[in-house]
Amino acid sequence: SIVHVASAFMRPVFGLYVKFQTTDHIWSPFNTPFECVVTEEATLQNVSIESVKSKLIPFFENYYYEFANQKLK
């Protein structure tokens, strides 16, 4: 998956995961910054855009500005 590729290149990863009727752990990238939204419902259909935005925007801003600052050096 693209998440595995991003992790291999140590790129920040943001994911949306379904953890429906399972006790399995949500996979997380090894030694790579990540954030995710997890639902315990059968699909992502009822995940609100607000719950995604509340995690995605700070995550994106943090790593985007970090990356942009490295490019300027």
Side-chain angles (χ1 to χ4, degrees):
S1 82
I2 194 67
V3 173
H4 292 89
V5 173
S7 179
F9 288 93
M10 299 186 72
R11 297 293 184 215
V13 175
F14 186 87
L16 301 173
Y17 294 97
V18 172
K19 186 177 179 179
F20 180 66
Q21 295 182 345
T22 182
T23 58
D24 294 343
H25 292 282
I26 296 297
W27 179 85
S28 59
F30 177 73
N31 204 23
T32 302
F34 81 100
E35 181 62 82
C36 65
V37 174
V38 180
T39 182
E40 293 187 0
E41 296 186 29
T43 70
L44 295 169
Q45 184 175 355
N46 292 325
V47 174
S48 71
I49 190 69
E50 288 77 24
S51 67
V52 174
K53 285 172 47 178
S54 71
K55 288 190 172 186
L56 177 61
I57 291 172
F59 180 80
F60 175 80
E61 287 174 343
N62 183 42
Y63 292 104
Y64 173 79
Y65 292 123
E66 180 180 306
F67 178 76
N69 287 336
Q70 288 177 358
K71 288 281 210 176
L72 294 174
K73 292 180 180 180

Coordinates of all heavy atoms in Angstrom, one line a residue:
S1 N 0.8 -1.2 0.0 CA 0.0 0.0 0.0 C 0.9 1.2 0.0 O 2.1 1.2 0.3 CB -0.9 0.0 1.2 OG -0.3 0.4 2.4
I2 N 0.3 2.4 -0.3 CA 1.0 3.6 -0.4 C 1.5 4.0 1.0 O 2.5 4.7 1.2 CB 0.2 4.7 -1.0 CG1 1.0 5.9 -1.4 CG2 -1.0 5.1 -0.1 CD1 2.0 5.7 -2.4
V3 N 0.8 3.6 2.1 CA 1.3 3.9 3.4 C 2.6 3.2 3.7 O 3.5 3.8 4.3 CB 0.2 3.4 4.5 CG1 0.7 3.5 5.9 CG2 -1.1 4.2 4.3
H4 N 2.7 2.0 3.2 CA 4.0 1.2 3.4 C 5.1 1.9 2.7 O 6.3 2.0 3.2 CB 3.9 -0.2 2.9 CG 3.0 -1.0 3.8 ND1 1.6 -1.1 3.5 CD2 3.2 -1.8 4.9 CE1 1.1 -1.9 4.4 NE2 2.0 -2.3 5.3
V5 N 4.9 2.4 1.5 CA 5.9 3.1 0.7 C 6.3 4.4 1.3 O 7.5 4.7 1.5 CB 5.4 3.3 -0.8 CG1 6.3 4.2 -1.5 CG2 5.1 2.0 -1.5
A6 N 5.3 5.1 1.8 CA 5.6 6.4 2.5 C 6.4 6.1 3.7 O 7.4 6.9 4.0 CB 4.3 7.1 2.9
S7 N 6.1 5.1 4.5 CA 6.9 4.8 5.7 C 8.3 4.4 5.3 O 9.2 4.7 6.0 CB 6.2 3.6 6.4 OG 6.9 3.3 7.6
A8 N 8.5 3.6 4.3 CA 9.8 3.2 3.8 C 10.7 4.4 3.6 O 11.9 4.3 3.8 CB 9.7 2.3 2.6
F9 N 10.1 5.5 3.1 CA 10.9 6.7 2.8 C 10.8 7.7 3.9 O 11.1 8.9 3.7 CB 10.4 7.3 1.4 CG 10.9 6.5 0.2 CD1 10.0 5.5 -0.3 CD2 12.1 6.7 -0.3 CE1 10.5 4.7 -1.3 CE2 12.5 5.9 -1.4 CZ 11.7 4.9 -1.9
M10 N 10.2 7.3 5.0 CA 10.1 8.1 6.2 C 9.3 9.4 5.9 O 9.7 10.5 6.4 CB 11.5 8.4 6.8 CG 12.1 7.1 7.3 SD 13.6 7.4 8.2 CE 13.0 8.0 9.7
R11 N 8.3 9.3 5.2 CA 7.4 10.4 4.9 C 6.2 10.4 5.9 O 5.7 9.3 6.1 CB 6.8 10.4 3.5 CG 7.9 10.5 2.4 CD 8.5 11.8 2.5 NE 9.5 12.0 1.4 CZ 10.6 12.7 1.5 NH1 10.9 13.3 2.6 NH2 11.4 12.8 0.5
P12 N 5.8 11.5 6.4 CA 4.7 11.5 7.3 C 3.4 10.9 6.7 O 3.2 11.0 5.5 CB 4.4 13.0 7.6 CG 5.8 13.6 7.3 CD 6.4 12.8 6.2
V13 N 2.7 10.1 7.5 CA 1.5 9.4 7.0 C 0.3 9.8 7.8 O 0.3 9.8 9.1 CB 1.8 7.9 7.2 CG1 0.6 7.1 6.8 CG2 3.0 7.4 6.4
F14 N -0.8 10.0 7.1 CA -2.1 10.3 7.7 C -3.0 9.2 7.2 O -3.1 9.0 6.0 CB -2.6 11.7 7.4 CG -3.9 12.0 8.2 CD1 -3.8 12.5 9.4 CD2 -5.1 11.7 7.6 CE1 -5.0 12.8 10.1 CE2 -6.3 12.0 8.3 CZ -6.2 12.5 9.6
G15 N -3.7 8.5 8.1 CA -4.6 7.4 7.7 C -6.0 7.5 8.2 O -6.2 8.1 9.3
L16 N -6.9 6.9 7.5 CA -8.3 6.6 8.0 C -8.5 5.1 8.1 O -8.3 4.4 7.1 CB -9.3 7.2 7.0 CG -9.2 8.7 6.7 CD1 -10.1 9.1 5.6 CD2 -9.5 9.5 8.0
Y17 N -8.8 4.7 9.2 CA -8.9 3.2 9.5 C -10.2 2.8 10.0 O -10.8 3.5 10.8 CB -7.8 2.8 10.5 CG -6.4 3.0 9.9 CD1 -5.7 4.1 10.3 CD2 -5.8 2.0 9.1 CE1 -4.4 4.2 9.8 CE2 -4.5 2.2 8.7 CZ -3.8 3.3 9.0 OH -2.5 3.4 8.6
V18 N -10.6 1.6 9.6 CA -11.8 0.9 10.1 C -11.4 -0.2 11.0 O -10.6 -1.0 10.6 CB -12.7 0.4 9.0 CG1 -13.9 -0.5 9.6 CG2 -13.2 1.5 8.1
K19 N -11.8 -0.2 12.3 CA -11.5 -1.2 13.2 C -12.8 -1.8 13.7 O -13.3 -1.6 14.8 CB -10.7 -0.6 14.4 CG -10.2 -1.7 15.4 CD -9.4 -1.1 16.5 CE -8.9 -2.2 17.4 NZ -8.1 -1.7 18.5
F20 N -13.5 -2.5 12.8 CA -14.8 -3.0 13.1 C -14.8 -4.5 13.6 O -14.2 -5.4 12.9 CB -15.6 -3.0 11.8 CG -17.0 -3.5 11.9 CD1 -17.9 -2.8 12.7 CD2 -17.5 -4.6 11.2 CE1 -19.3 -3.2 12.8 CE2 -18.8 -5.0 11.3 CZ -19.7 -4.3 12.1
Q21 N -15.3 -4.7 14.8 CA -15.5 -6.0 15.4 C -14.1 -6.8 15.4 O -14.1 -7.9 14.9 CB -16.6 -6.8 14.7 CG -17.9 -6.2 14.9 CD -19.0 -7.0 14.2 OE1 -18.8 -7.9 13.4 NE2 -20.3 -6.7 14.6
T22 N -13.1 -6.1 15.8 CA -11.8 -6.8 15.9 C -11.0 -6.2 17.0 O -11.2 -5.1 17.5 CB -11.0 -6.6 14.6 OG1 -9.7 -7.3 14.7 CG2 -10.7 -5.2 14.3
T23 N -10.1 -7.1 17.5 CA -9.2 -6.6 18.6 C -7.8 -6.4 18.0 O -6.9 -6.1 18.8 CB -9.2 -7.6 19.7 OG1 -8.7 -8.9 19.2 CG2 -10.5 -7.8 20.4
D24 N -7.7 -6.5 16.7 CA -6.4 -6.3 16.1 C -5.9 -4.8 16.3 O -6.8 -3.9 16.4 CB -6.5 -6.5 14.6 CG -6.7 -8.0 14.2 OD1 -6.5 -8.8 15.1 OD2 -7.1 -8.2 13.1
H25 N -4.6 -4.7 16.4 CA -4.1 -3.3 16.5 C -4.1 -2.6 15.2 O -3.8 -3.3 14.2 CB -2.7 -3.4 17.1 CG -2.6 -3.8 18.5 ND1 -3.0 -3.0 19.6 CD2 -2.3 -5.1 19.0 CE1 -2.8 -3.7 20.7 NE2 -2.5 -5.0 20.4
I26 N -4.3 -1.3 15.2 CA -4.1 -0.6 14.0 C -2.7 -0.5 13.6 O -1.8 -0.1 14.5 CB -4.8 0.9 14.1 CG1 -6.3 0.7 14.4 CG2 -4.5 1.7 12.9 CD1 -7.1 0.2 13.3
W27 N -2.3 -0.8 12.4 CA -0.9 -0.7 12.0 C -0.5 0.7 12.0 O -1.2 1.7 11.6 CB -0.8 -1.3 10.5 CG 0.6 -1.2 10.0 CD1 1.5 -2.2 10.2 CD2 1.2 -0.2 9.2 NE1 2.7 -1.8 9.6 CE2 2.5 -0.6 9.0 CE3 0.7 1.0 8.7 CZ2 3.3 0.2 8.2 CZ3 1.6 1.8 8.0 CH2 2.9 1.4 7.7
S28 N 0.7 0.9 12.5 CA 1.3 2.3 12.4 C 2.7 2.2 11.8 O 3.4 1.2 12.0 CB 1.4 2.9 13.8 OG 2.2 2.1 14.7
P29 N 3.1 3.2 11.0 CA 4.4 3.2 10.4 C 5.5 3.1 11.4 O 5.5 3.8 12.4 CB 4.4 4.5 9.6 CG 3.0 5.0 9.5 CD 2.3 4.4 10.7
F30 N 6.5 2.4 11.0 CA 7.7 2.3 11.9 C 8.6 3.5 11.8 O 9.0 3.9 10.7 CB 8.5 1.0 11.5 CG 9.8 0.9 12.3 CD1 9.7 0.5 13.6 CD2 11.0 1.1 11.7 CE1 10.9 0.4 14.4 CE2 12.2 1.0 12.4 CZ 12.1 0.6 13.8
N31 N 8.9 4.1 12.9 CA 9.8 5.2 13.0 C 9.5 6.4 12.0 O 10.4 7.0 11.4 CB 11.2 4.7 12.7 CG 12.3 5.6 13.3 OD1 12.0 6.4 14.2 ND2 13.5 5.5 12.8
T32 N 8.2 6.6 11.8 CA 7.7 7.6 10.8 C 6.6 8.4 11.5 O 5.7 7.8 12.1 CB 7.2 6.9 9.5 OG1 8.3 6.1 9.0 CG2 6.7 7.9 8.5
P33 N 6.6 9.7 11.4 CA 5.5 10.5 11.9 C 4.1 10.0 11.3 O 4.1 9.9 10.1 CB 5.8 11.9 11.6 CG 7.2 11.9 11.2 CD 7.6 10.5 10.7
F34 N 3.1 9.9 12.2 CA 1.8 9.5 11.6 C 0.7 10.0 12.5 O 0.9 10.3 13.7 CB 1.7 8.0 11.4 CG 1.3 7.2 12.6 CD1 0.1 6.8 12.8 CD2 2.3 6.9 13.5 CE1 -0.3 6.1 14.0 CE2 2.0 6.2 14.7 CZ 0.7 5.8 14.9
E35 N -0.4 10.1 12.0 CA -1.7 10.5 12.7 C -2.8 9.7 12.0 O -2.6 9.4 10.8 CB -1.9 12.0 12.7 CG -3.2 12.4 13.5 CD -3.1 12.0 15.0 OE1 -2.5 12.8 15.7 OE2 -3.6 11.0 15.3
C36 N -3.8 9.4 12.7 CA -4.9 8.7 12.1 C -6.2 8.9 12.8 O -6.3 9.4 13.9 CB -4.6 7.2 12.0 SG -4.6 6.4 13.6
V37 N -7.3 8.6 12.0 CA -8.6 8.6 12.5 C -9.1 7.2 12.4 O -9.0 6.6 11.4 CB -9.6 9.6 11.7 CG1 -11.0 9.5 12.2 CG2 -9.1 11.0 11.8
V38 N -9.7 6.7 13.5 CA -10.1 5.3 13.6 C -11.6 5.3 13.9 O -12.0 6.0 14.8 CB -9.3 4.5 14.7 CG1 -9.8 3.1 14.7 CG2 -7.8 4.6 14.4
T39 N -12.3 4.5 13.2 CA -13.7 4.3 13.5 C -13.9 2.8 13.8 O -13.3 1.9 13.3 CB -14.7 4.7 12.4 OG1 -16.0 4.5 12.8 CG2 -14.4 3.9 11.1
E40 N -14.8 2.5 14.8 CA -15.2 1.2 15.1 C -16.5 0.7 14.4 O -17.0 -0.3 14.7 CB -15.2 1.0 16.6 CG -13.8 1.2 17.2 CD -13.8 0.9 18.7 OE1 -14.8 0.5 19.3 OE2 -12.7 1.0 19.3
E41 N -16.9 1.5 13.5 CA -18.1 1.2 12.7 C -17.6 0.4 11.5 O -16.4 0.3 11.2 CB -18.8 2.4 12.3 CG -19.4 3.1 13.5 CD -20.3 4.3 13.1 OE1 -20.9 4.2 12.0 OE2 -20.4 5.2 13.9
A42 N -18.5 -0.2 10.7 CA -18.2 -1.0 9.6 C -17.6 -0.3 8.4 O -16.8 -0.9 7.6 CB -19.4 -1.8 9.1
T43 N -17.8 1.0 8.3 CA -17.3 1.8 7.2 C -16.9 3.2 7.7 O -17.2 3.5 8.8 CB -18.4 2.0 6.0 OG1 -19.4 2.9 6.5 CG2 -19.0 0.7 5.6
L44 N -16.3 3.9 6.8 CA -15.9 5.3 7.1 C -17.0 6.3 6.9 O -16.9 7.5 7.2 CB -14.7 5.7 6.3 CG -13.4 5.0 6.5 CD1 -12.4 5.3 5.4 CD2 -12.9 5.3 7.9
Q45 N -18.2 5.8 6.5 CA -19.3 6.6 6.1 C -19.7 7.6 7.2 O -20.1 8.8 6.9 CB -20.5 5.8 5.7 CG -21.7 6.6 5.2 CD -22.8 5.7 4.7 OE1 -22.7 4.4 4.7 NE2 -23.9 6.2 4.4
N46 N -19.7 7.2 8.4 CA -20.1 8.1 9.5 C -19.0 8.9 10.2 O -19.3 9.6 11.2 CB -20.9 7.3 10.5 CG -22.2 6.8 10.0 OD1 -22.9 7.5 9.2 ND2 -22.6 5.6 10.4
V47 N -17.8 8.9 9.6 CA -16.7 9.7 10.2 C -17.0 11.1 9.7 O -17.1 11.4 8.5 CB -15.4 9.1 9.7 CG1 -14.2 10.1 10.1 CG2 -15.1 7.7 10.2
S48 N -17.0 12.0 10.7 CA -17.3 13.4 10.3 C -16.1 14.1 9.7 O -14.9 13.8 10.1 CB -17.8 14.2 11.5 OG -16.7 14.4 12.4
I49 N -16.3 15.0 8.8 CA -15.2 15.8 8.3 C -14.6 16.6 9.4 O -13.3 16.8 9.3 CB -15.7 16.7 7.1 CG1 -14.5 17.3 6.4 CG2 -16.7 17.7 7.6 CD1 -13.7 16.3 5.6
E50 N -15.3 17.0 10.4 CA -14.7 17.7 11.5 C -13.7 16.9 12.3 O -12.7 17.4 12.6 CB -15.8 18.3 12.4 CG -16.6 19.4 11.8 CD -17.7 18.9 10.8 OE1 -18.1 17.7 10.9 OE2 -18.1 19.7 10.0
S51 N -14.0 15.6 12.5 CA -13.1 14.8 13.2 C -11.8 14.5 12.4 O -10.7 14.4 13.0 CB -13.7 13.5 13.6 OG -14.0 12.7 12.5
V52 N -11.9 14.5 11.1 CA -10.8 14.3 10.2 C -10.0 15.6 10.2 O -8.7 15.6 10.4 CB -11.2 13.9 8.8 CG1 -10.0 13.8 7.9 CG2 -11.9 12.5 8.8
K53 N -10.6 16.7 10.0 CA -10.0 18.0 9.9 C -9.2 18.3 11.2 O -8.1 18.9 11.2 CB -10.9 19.1 9.6 CG -11.4 19.2 8.2 CD -12.5 20.1 7.9 CE -12.3 21.5 8.4 NZ -13.4 22.4 8.1
S54 N -9.8 18.0 12.4 CA -9.2 18.3 13.7 C -7.9 17.6 13.9 O -7.0 18.1 14.6 CB -10.1 18.0 14.8 OG -10.3 16.6 15.0
K55 N -7.6 16.5 13.2 CA -6.3 15.8 13.2 C -5.5 16.1 12.0 O -4.3 16.2 12.1 CB -6.5 14.3 13.4 CG -7.1 13.9 14.8 CD -7.0 12.5 14.9 CE -7.4 12.1 16.4 NZ -7.2 10.6 16.6
L56 N -6.1 16.2 10.8 CA -5.3 16.4 9.6 C -4.7 17.8 9.5 O -3.5 17.9 9.1 CB -6.2 16.1 8.4 CG -5.6 16.4 7.0 CD1 -4.4 15.4 6.9 CD2 -6.6 16.2 5.9
I57 N -5.4 18.8 9.8 CA -4.9 20.2 9.6 C -3.6 20.4 10.5 O -2.6 20.8 9.9 CB -6.0 21.2 9.8 CG1 -7.0 21.1 8.7 CG2 -5.3 22.6 10.0 CD1 -8.2 22.0 8.9
P58 N -3.6 20.1 11.8 CA -2.4 20.3 12.6 C -1.3 19.4 12.1 O -0.1 19.8 12.1 CB -2.8 20.0 14.0 CG -4.3 20.0 14.0 CD -4.7 19.7 12.6
F59 N -1.6 18.2 11.7 CA -0.6 17.2 11.2 C 0.0 17.8 9.9 O 1.3 17.9 9.8 CB -1.3 15.9 10.9 CG -0.3 14.8 10.4 CD1 0.5 14.1 11.3 CD2 -0.3 14.5 9.1 CE1 1.4 13.2 10.8 CE2 0.5 13.6 8.6 CZ 1.4 12.9 9.4
F60 N -0.8 18.2 9.0 CA -0.3 18.8 7.7 C 0.5 20.0 8.0 O 1.6 20.1 7.4 CB -1.5 19.1 6.8 CG -1.0 19.8 5.5 CD1 -0.5 19.0 4.5 CD2 -1.1 21.1 5.4 CE1 -0.1 19.6 3.3 CE2 -0.7 21.8 4.2 CZ -0.2 21.0 3.2
E61 N 0.0 20.9 8.8 CA 0.7 22.2 9.0 C 2.1 21.9 9.6 O 3.1 22.5 9.2 CB -0.1 23.1 9.9 CG -1.3 23.7 9.2 CD -2.2 24.5 10.1 OE1 -2.1 24.4 11.3 OE2 -3.0 25.3 9.5
N62 N 2.2 21.0 10.6 CA 3.4 20.7 11.3 C 4.5 20.2 10.3 O 5.6 20.7 10.2 CB 3.2 19.7 12.4 CG 4.4 19.4 13.1 OD1 5.2 20.3 13.4 ND2 4.7 18.1 13.4
Y63 N 4.1 19.2 9.5 CA 5.1 18.6 8.6 C 5.3 19.4 7.3 O 6.4 19.4 6.7 CB 4.7 17.1 8.3 CG 4.9 16.4 9.6 CD1 3.8 16.0 10.4 CD2 6.2 16.2 10.1 CE1 4.0 15.4 11.6 CE2 6.4 15.5 11.3 CZ 5.3 15.1 12.1 OH 5.5 14.5 13.3
Y64 N 4.3 20.1 6.8 CA 4.5 20.9 5.6 C 5.4 22.1 5.9 O 6.4 22.3 5.2 CB 3.1 21.5 5.2 CG 3.3 22.5 4.1 CD1 3.5 22.1 2.8 CD2 3.3 23.9 4.3 CE1 3.7 23.0 1.7 CE2 3.5 24.8 3.3 CZ 3.7 24.3 2.0 OH 3.9 25.2 1.0
Y65 N 5.2 22.8 7.0 CA 6.1 23.9 7.4 C 7.5 23.4 7.7 O 8.5 24.0 7.4 CB 5.5 24.7 8.5 CG 4.3 25.5 8.0 CD1 3.1 25.3 8.6 CD2 4.3 26.3 6.8 CE1 1.9 26.0 8.2 CE2 3.2 26.9 6.4 CZ 2.0 26.8 7.0 OH 0.9 27.4 6.6
E66 N 7.6 22.2 8.3 CA 8.9 21.7 8.6 C 9.7 21.3 7.3 O 10.8 21.7 7.2 CB 8.8 20.4 9.5 CG 10.1 19.7 9.8 CD 9.8 18.4 10.6 OE1 9.1 18.5 11.6 OE2 10.3 17.4 10.2
F67 N 9.0 20.8 6.4 CA 9.5 20.4 5.1 C 9.9 21.7 4.3 O 11.0 21.8 3.7 CB 8.6 19.6 4.3 CG 9.0 19.3 2.9 CD1 10.0 18.3 2.7 CD2 8.5 19.9 1.8 CE1 10.4 18.0 1.4 CE2 9.0 19.6 0.5 CZ 9.9 18.6 0.3
A68 N 9.0 22.7 4.3 CA 9.3 23.9 3.6 C 10.5 24.6 4.2 O 11.3 25.2 3.4 CB 8.0 24.8 3.6
N69 N 10.6 24.6 5.5 CA 11.8 25.3 6.1 C 13.1 24.6 5.8 O 14.1 25.2 5.6 CB 11.6 25.3 7.6 CG 10.6 26.4 8.0 OD1 10.3 27.3 7.3 ND2 10.0 26.2 9.2
Q70 N 13.1 23.3 5.6 CA 14.3 22.5 5.2 C 14.7 22.9 3.8 O 15.8 22.9 3.5 CB 14.0 21.0 5.3 CG 13.9 20.5 6.8 CD 13.6 19.0 6.8 OE1 13.4 18.4 5.8 NE2 13.6 18.5 8.0
K71 N 13.7 23.1 2.9 CA 13.9 23.4 1.5 C 14.6 24.8 1.4 O 15.4 25.0 0.5 CB 12.7 23.4 0.7 CG 12.1 22.1 0.4 CD 12.9 21.4 -0.7 CE 12.0 20.5 -1.4 NZ 12.7 19.9 -2.5
L72 N 14.3 25.7 2.4 CA 14.8 27.0 2.3 C 16.3 27.1 2.8 O 17.0 28.1 2.5 CB 13.9 28.0 3.1 CG 12.5 28.2 2.6 CD1 11.7 29.1 3.6 CD2 12.5 28.9 1.2
K73 N 16.7 26.1 3.5 CA 18.1 26.2 4.0 C 19.1 25.8 3.0 O 19.0 25.2 2.1 CB 18.2 25.2 5.2 CG 17.4 25.7 6.4 CD 17.5 24.7 7.5 CE 16.7 25.2 8.7 NZ 16.7 24.3 9.9

